[in-house]
Amino acid sequence: MSDVFENVMDLAKRRGFIWPTSECYGAVAGFIDYGPLGAMMKRRIEDIWRHFYVFQEGYYEIECPTIAQEAVFIASGHVKGFSDKMCQCPHCKEYLRADHVADGGGVCGAATMDNETLAAAIATCKCPACGKVLGNVEVYNFNLMFSTTIGPGSQRVGYLRPETAQGMFVDFARLLRFYRDKLPFGAVQIGKSYRNEISPRQGMIRLREFTQAEAEIFVHPDEKNHHPAFSRYANYRMPLLTYVHQQKCEPAVEMSMREAVDGGVIANEYVAYYVALTHEMLATIGIRPDRLRFRQHLPDERAHYATDCWDAEVYSERFGWVETVGIADRTNYDLNAHAKQSGTTMTVFIQYDTPKKVQRRRIIPNMGVLGRQYRKKAKAIFAALETATPSPDGADVTVDGETIHIPADLFEVRDEVVDVRGEEIVPHVIEPSYGIDRMCYAVLEQAYDEDTVDGEKRTVLRLSPKVAPVQVAVFPLMSRDGLDTLSEEITTTLQKHGILAEYDDSGAIGRRYRRQDEIGTPFAITVDYESKETHTVTIRDRDSMKQVRIAIDKLPGMLPALVGGSIRFAEIV
Ligand code: GAP
């Protein structure tokens, strides 16, 4: 096989999976169109994601605008710090990502270098566009957000969101009420995000408009080690490439999630739970476990908001290990930031099981005397006294910048024990963040295969039936003698049972199989002359190419089971 990337993209273009956008005007790098089959496959992947996060986890989906006002991204830190390091090739004038140039030139540690160090490090590297040695270049920060203005003639700045996550954070107060003021809860969102990537050249891997599927799970900070359903994944095993392994250049070590948490490898049960869920989810869409690894961020690689972060990386024959999902413990960073910026409370009242007895000192002012003496200032003095620290001769309070001494005989200090019912806390956020386009590419690349059938080359997409756009093809052996009408009836019946069935009567049967193999259709039904006599059809499996004859009335029950994976083709042969 020649370069799998070229082959996959050629097939994807030819058969309607992925197209360059606005091609008739000349495509724009970093944007793609999903064609009819690509859009369907993407939808299936998103629906599998929904199955895990919405159905299994019970986190409802929300949908926020893709443009938000500036304040949102000032709070989140994106206005100030969401940038990549850029330089310009002095020869061909191409704008380049300086850290990528460094990586390509074998320079280590570029991600954590300051601009001057990086500029010096890449001076001997070649420009990936023109191939000439860069020499002296300036490296500077380029903010990746697309900015716009909101409203005609408006000065109101807005940005296209660089992640869906902020929508869940700014909706926190409403989400909290929706979930009846109880932790933990989660909200998820699937939608477009935008980043003005510098010279994206990696097909579907680095886009300027891409789809994210993100979950924000709000938890009590003291409960991060008690995921209520942790037992589901406690014994789930996988190789983990910790930051310590990376620093020592050691390989990943396989362990269970229980061992990872108990051994301090993964920060807490919540992060470990979503690492395992992500592994299961990626395997469900067809990612091979031997091409999937979980890599912990190095301490200096983590985002400013994260305490622990793991990337699910999928191996690509063209691009190497590609970050496809990030699972981060974002702590209370975002909620604190939005609370401060917006002036809105973003806390949860946590009621204790039994009220706590708390020793409290109350200062009770002599209102009559203080009121007469201080008149207009009295109210402010009463308030200031509540938090004052009195000495035996009185208390100093500050009102409107003026320090006022209140003698001890004008207030009473009462030490009492009070019942405290609970406390206000700012939840922490665990965030699994999936890049749907990268998942789509990985699925296509791993499914692409070529073999030889009857002496002819066959191109086949070995897609999981769960993500294949067309789930079954229905072929009349001849488009006459009633075989066509029976085939159409079968197609309609299967469609009514939620199966995407495609009727095809054009060309030799072998060509029809090849057409469907190439787009990954896992099953093909052939209606032949025997079908009319015995009310049976043959069903063919794309991968083994085995065929089995079964009763037509069994199809509506069998096809959904085959597609959903509850039975396998080998079981019906
Ligand atoms: N809310 C956290 C967040 O956005 P991220 O690691 O920047 O974290 C999450 O992005 C995922 O989004 C990545 O793992 C990747 O799959 C996808 N992603 C990020 N930038 C992308 C781009 N330019 N093109 C395609 N996918 C991208």
Side-chain angles (χ1 to χ4, degrees):
M1 246 195 287
S2 50
D3 186 313
V4 69
F5 171 75
E6 307 289 346
N7 292 337
V8 169
M9 294 321 284
D10 171 64
L11 185 152
K13 264 188 230 163
R14 221 169 7 86
R15 298 306 311 273
F17 282 88
I18 311 293
W19 292 325
T21 196
S22 58
E23 206 176 0
C24 60
Y25 290 102
V28 185
F31 296 91
I32 53 167
D33 288 356
Y34 281 86
L37 297 183
M40 182 55 77
M41 188 187 84
K42 179 170 182 265
R43 180 67 49 84
R44 294 204 194 288
I45 290 174
E46 289 170 1
D47 282 345
I48 290 172
W49 189 91
R50 281 191 179 92
H51 165 82
F52 277 90
Y53 279 93
V54 182
F55 291 86
Q56 177 179 299
E57 300 302 296
Y59 301 148
Y60 282 92
E61 190 173 350
I62 66 168
E63 197 174 310
C64 305
T66 54
I67 294 180
Q69 54 185 296
E70 189 175 32
V72 171
F73 299 114
I74 289 176
S76 68
H78 286 95
V79 168
K80 202 167 161 208
F82 192 59
S83 52
D84 277 340
K85 293 183 189 303
M86 187 163 81
C87 64
Q88 190 178 19
C89 172
H91 315 293
C92 67
K93 307 293 175 210
E94 178 81 6
Y95 288 102
L96 305 167
R97 240 186 96 166
D99 53 333
H100 287 181
V101 173
D103 292 342
V107 175
C108 291
T112 52
M113 286 180 188
D114 63 35
N115 292 352
E116 286 72 32
T117 315
L118 186 53
I122 62 173
T124 53
C125 296
K126 286 184 180 160
C127 167
C130 70
K132 292 191 180 146
V133 174
L134 284 176
N136 285 339
V137 285
E138 189 194 347
V139 171
Y140 48 97
N141 293 336
F142 173 73
N143 193 297
L144 296 181
M145 281 198 298
F146 284 98
S147 62
T148 185
T149 50
I150 301 172
S154 162
Q155 295 306 306
R156 196 161 185 206
V157 175
Y159 292 96
L160 273 73
R161 64 184 180 192
E163 58 175 8
T164 66
Q166 297 305 322
M168 274 83 90
F169 299 138
V170 296
D171 279 353
F172 172 76
R174 293 210 176 267
L175 284 166
L176 177 63
R177 240 163 287 147
F178 174 83
Y179 282 103
R180 290 196 239 118
D181 299 303
K182 292 224 164 43
L183 292 176
F185 67 82
V188 305
Q189 183 158 199
I190 300 184
K192 295 284 191 183
S193 294
Y194 300 84
R195 297 181 190 178
N196 201 1
E197 298 284 355
I198 304 162
S199 69
R201 266 182 254 264
Q202 295 153 296
M204 298 166 71
I205 300 295
R206 195 163 300 283
L207 294 168
R208 287 174 167 143
E209 177 184 293
F210 54 98
T211 300
Q212 287 188 313
E214 298 196 289
E216 308 301 325
I217 300 137
F218 298 91
V219 296
H220 191 299
D222 299 341
E223 295 291 319
K224 287 196 284 189
N225 241 342
H226 302 286
H227 190 292
F230 189 68
S231 58
R232 176 179 282 134
Y233 292 119
N235 297 320
Y236 200 101
R237 299 184 73 77
M238 73 179 82
L240 295 175
L241 188 61
T242 67
Y243 76 86
V244 180
H245 293 133
Q246 293 165 67
Q247 284 168 340
K248 293 185 183 166
C249 291
E250 288 172 355
V253 171
E254 187 183 301
M255 61 185 95
S256 72
M257 294 302 100
R258 178 79 278 157
E259 288 161 351
V261 174
D262 291 351
V265 169
I266 298 184
N268 54 58
E269 282 191 3
Y270 269 86
V271 174
Y273 182 93
Y274 291 103
V275 164
L277 184 152
T278 298
H279 191 280
E280 191 190 5
M281 199 253 144
L282 292 176
T284 305
I285 62 168
I287 302 297
R288 284 167 35 184
D290 62 329
R291 294 199 185 175
L292 173 61
R293 72 176 190 189
F294 282 78
R295 191 184 67 79
Q296 189 173 34
H297 278 204
L298 297 160
D300 54 8
E301 182 191 358
R302 273 185 225 133
H304 53 285
Y305 48 73
T307 53
D308 191 17
C309 188
W310 289 80
D311 283 346
E313 296 183 331
V314 180
Y315 187 75
S316 156
E317 287 185 25
R318 165 62 84 93
F319 303 110
W321 288 104
V322 177
E323 178 210 327
T324 305
V325 184
I327 301 144
D329 179 343
R330 290 181 77 127
T331 66
N332 53 13
Y333 177 87
D334 302 273
L335 291 182
N336 278 339
H338 285 298
K340 194 168 166 214
Q341 180 80 23
S342 66
T344 312
T345 308
M346 297 210 179
T347 55
V348 183
F349 182 74
I350 305 292
Q351 192 164 337
Y352 300 137
D353 292 342
T354 46
K356 282 187 186 169
K357 302 274 181 214
V358 175
Q359 184 92 26
R360 189 174 279 174
R361 170 165 286 190
R362 270 177 69 205
I363 300 178
I364 301 151
N366 184 332
M367 293 201 181
V369 178
L370 285 169
R372 274 198 303 282
Q373 204 168 323
Y374 291 100
R375 297 182 181 274
K376 280 187 187 154
K377 285 189 184 158
K379 213 171 154 192
I381 289 173
F382 297 159
L385 269 175
E386 277 176 25
T387 53
T389 315
S391 61
D393 69 331
D396 287 341
V397 293
T398 306
V399 171
D400 295 337
E402 181 193 354
T403 302
I404 303 169
H405 181 75
I406 311 293
D409 59 348
L410 293 187
F411 58 84
E412 181 192 343
V413 178
R414 225 181 259 170
D415 286 317
E416 50 193 24
V417 174
V418 291
D419 280 345
V420 176
R421 287 191 315 110
E423 62 184 324
E424 296 286 342
I425 61 112
V426 182
H428 281 204
V429 174
I430 310 298
E431 178 197 64
S433 170
Y434 294 65
I436 296 287
D437 311 87
R438 290 186 183 180
M439 285 154 72
C440 289
Y441 176 72
V443 161
L444 288 173
E445 191 191 285
Q446 295 195 10
Y448 185 89
D449 198 9
E450 291 169 7
D451 57 10
T452 307
V453 178
D454 300 333
E456 258 188 56
K457 184 184 124 181
R458 172 175 86 134
T459 302
V460 53
L461 275 188
R462 299 192 191 282
L463 293 173
S464 157
K466 292 182 175 141
V467 304
V470 178
Q471 294 162 320
V472 63
V474 186
F475 306 146
L477 189 63
M478 298 288 171
S479 52
R480 57 172 188 260
D481 304 329
L483 302 188
D484 46 356
T485 33
L486 182 54
S487 299
E488 275 167 349
E489 275 168 32
I490 291 171
T491 308
T492 311
T493 305
L494 289 175
Q495 287 165 348
K496 282 188 186 147
H497 282 81
I499 291 293
L500 204 156
E502 194 174 279
Y503 173 88
D504 183 4
D505 64 2
S506 95
I509 202 90
R511 294 246 65 79
R512 288 186 248 168
Y513 281 140
R514 296 297 163 273
R515 275 204 294 272
Q516 295 295 336
D517 289 343
E518 204 182 34
I519 62 166
T521 307
F523 308 108
I525 290 167
T526 302
V527 178
D528 54 18
Y529 286 98
E530 201 181 323
S531 304
K532 284 172 63 179
E533 309 294 322
T534 59
H535 225 65
T536 59
V537 289
T538 61
I539 174 163
R540 170 191 180 264
D541 173 50
R542 175 198 66 207
D543 293 337
S544 64
M545 290 186 290
K546 286 194 175 137
Q547 300 198 24
V548 59
R549 187 166 279 281
I550 63 159
I552 290 174
D553 59 9
K554 281 200 175 156
L555 291 174
M558 186 177 284
L559 255 303
L562 280 171
V563 167
S566 58
I567 55 167
R568 294 186 323 140
F569 190 80
E571 294 168 40
I572 62 165
V573 179

